[in-house]
Amino acid sequence: MYTGPENSYLKQPRGLKSWLLTLDHKRIGVMYLTAIMFFFLVGGLLAVLMRVELSSPARDVVSAELYNRLFTLHGAIMIFMFIIPSIPAAIGNFVLPLMIGAKDVAFPRLNLASWYIYVVGSLIAVASILQGGVDTGWTFYTPYSTSTNSAVITLTFGAFVLGFSSIFTGLNFIVTIHKMRAPGMTWFKMPLMVWGLYATAIIQVLATPVLGITLVLLIFERLFGIGIFDPAMGGDPVLYQHFFWFYSHPAVYIMILPGMAIISELIATFSHKRIFGYKAIAFSSLGIALVSFLVWGHHMFTSGQSELAAMIFSFLTFLVGIPSGIKIFNWVATMYRGSISLKTPMLYAIAFLLLFTIGGLTGIFLGTLAVDVHLHDTYFIVAHFHYVMMGGTVMALLGGIHYWWPKMWGKMYNETWGRITAVLVFVGFNVAFFTQFIMGSQGMPRRYYSYPDQFAFLHEVSSVGAYILGFGFLIMVIYLIHSLYRGKPAARNPWGALTMEWEAASPPTTHNFDKDMKLEHGPYDFDRVEVEDEEMVKA
Amino acid sequence: MDTVSFPWLPSAASTTAADVDALFNFILFAGLAFFLIVTAGVIAFVLRHRRRGKAGLTYGKDHSLALEITWTVIPVILIVIVFVWGFKGYMRMNVVPHGALEIKVTAQKWFWTFDHPDGANAVNELVVPVGKPVKLLMSSADVIHSFFVPNFRVKMDVLPNRYTVTWFEATAEGVYPLYCAEYCGKGHSEMLAAVRVVSDSSYQAWLNANSVMGAGLTLEQYGAQLYTTKACVTCHSLDGTAKDGPSFKGRFGTEILLSDGSRLLMDENYMRESILDPRAKMANGFQPVMPTFQGILKDRQIDALIAYIKSLNQK
């Protein structure tokens, strides 16, 4: 495998030990990327298994018990082990210091620790499979989760440990962004990726402890019979839902804000255009982060909470939707009079624009009290969630992986295969999930492993979409791995971008830059800075 | 009050459904307009400003107050409309009209019990009169369930530690599916029931028929009815296949193996105990998932079920 010049971070120092004990943010980013992509494939495989079962109404391929374990594990892996760490810990770790012209993050040892905590937490969570799996759903709703005899304690303890990894990353990024920016990079000269990671980090640090506390309470209830949530012991199951969503709703923004952050970079670079409404995008990230703490009750409109509470949560939910809408308009406006190049990362950015818009707009249905009553806990929710998280965050992640791939490995992936796959993924995704909006509107409840015949056709179509999606990812794995061995060497700045990471070598040297960096132009000054065309590799 | 529903919503059959559908359609078309604007923008800009050759310097304008105010204010106005409209509809769903017929709903793994005011009760079938408001006072015997009738646009969680209330007024006779919408374990997708909306006179007739406990039927015939109406059928088959519980076929009067390894003759007393206290002596190979039917079944009904299960041996 070609890994760039002799002094690239991939080559120096050598040996397994140098990787396992590395303090280099780039190596830690690469280790995170490997781990999360592994879990993404595992979680995806579980999803395909579920779609196989659901392709016909009868119970045929898996039993009810196994199906319940599949969707629980799919959710837990995708949320806790894949999507939360995906962009911040994998991509963010790699690019954040490079983007602000720093040599590393503020606390390199804490950074390595967070990776190990992530691995340990994931192993604990995976160990629950050996104990027979968990059948509660990733939300662990009480009192079902306190009464089932499956391995709830192990999985929740895994999620508890994973939380620390997330907090450490967030803490590290906040300090890094405050203290390590290159001279001249004022707050409003930072790339929007950095703003997005900053807003995310705030939520990671402030919200994650609540999840930790909640899961510990749940574990205590099961282990020591302390009645907190279980009514049989004098507890209140709805209290659990409040605690859980107090974290898990902001967590949705831990997942989407970094996706939005990547999209700002992709659209600016591939439109070759000064980004429209820089401050609006930056402030809307912070606005979303703050309001996101106050909307959790919209998961509970049918839980019997008071009408007043429901009204307030509905209102605040709409409030948090506005900044997301503004961002969409800003991105589209950025493309106006640009010089648009439809490379693979841009295709994913466009996929994000369309899919996230659908995801956001369907959120309006769910934030609306009277309509949510009908749609709550149906496939409409499942579809909405996947449009936001997969159509949003995962599309951004895939765009980001392709965008920074040359920087990470010093290799170009195959553009043709990249584009074909992007189209396959886009089509497969829509076939798989748009059908679920229709099913949900018709009343198909979620978490059913067998279902009335009237839904058979749509389920079958949805399953076909999932297979197309799975096939797309298979191709991606092949061409990305192939590129590491056979890809063309990448130029320093193959996309003609203006952010600082492109001034480092591809792949960067261990200390990132050969000189002390200082800001010479804004991140999106495409109207006044001419970048050298480096599409062609200089040998 | 019939309005045209968007084709992908189920037919509307309650007094509150039409308003929900109108709001649903409003959001749908307003949302569609937004989506088309975004899509049209993306397509138009990609086509018009596609890079040809060198990128060069591009247009530098990066803000426009008028534009930004427009695309903030218009969504805000629409959102306020939707919010107020949705809240009003929600209040209508939550405020029970005076004089509503009150039915007690009990959810448990994995069936529904409906207790009507005059003592009639039914499992997995909610019979209600058309054109009358029906109040449901609901509680759960174990975990959280959720009462969901798509045709009525009604959903409300059913909790183990407090009563929740919802109501509806059916506008058309018919049979409408009732789902459990909150995940409740292994039998979640089989926790299906139906709402049967009938005329007022049929409802009275149904109440009479179900309050007299099978008068005019033999115990066996009555037991056969109860086997389905009390949801035994969910877990106990008649053809020998084991579901969540053992099949009833050819089982009465045989020696059965218990989970503690001992053997026991399946007789009338064991059957009665298993109905009232199912976990006392578990049959081998099954999970203790059956709830007690104490308070749900009257003595005569238990007698009838036993008679019916006995009769299965002779066929």
Side-chain angles (χ1 to χ4, degrees), chain A residues 1-2 405 409 411 479-487:
Chain A
M1 183 173 18
Y2 168 84
W405 194 257
W409 305 102
K411 291 299 188 97
Y479 77 71
L480 283 182
I481 291 179
H482 178 263
S483 79
L484 296 182
Y485 295 90
R486 293 282 145 79

Side-chain angles (χ1 to χ4, degrees), chain A residues 140-146 214 217-218 221 225-244 300 303-306, chain B residues 142-144 157-164:
Chain A
F140 309 113
Y141 266 22
T142 55
Y144 188 79
S145 59
T146 42
T214 310
L217 288 175
L218 185 63
E221 178 158 303
I226 300 170
I228 297 159
F229 306 125
D230 187 352
M233 294 185 278
D236 181 1
V238 176
L239 178 68
Y240 174 85
Q241 296 178 23
H242 280 290
F243 280 175
F244 181 81
M300 301 168 60
S303 71
Q305 76 179 353
S306 79
Chain B
D142 39 51
V143 298
I144 301 177
D157 288 2
V158 184
L159 302 170
N161 62 329
R162 69 175 78 149
Y163 295 110
T164 51

Side-chain angles (χ1 to χ4, degrees), chain B residues 65 173 198 214 217:
Chain B
L65 194 62
E173 290 181 30
V198 297
L217 300 176

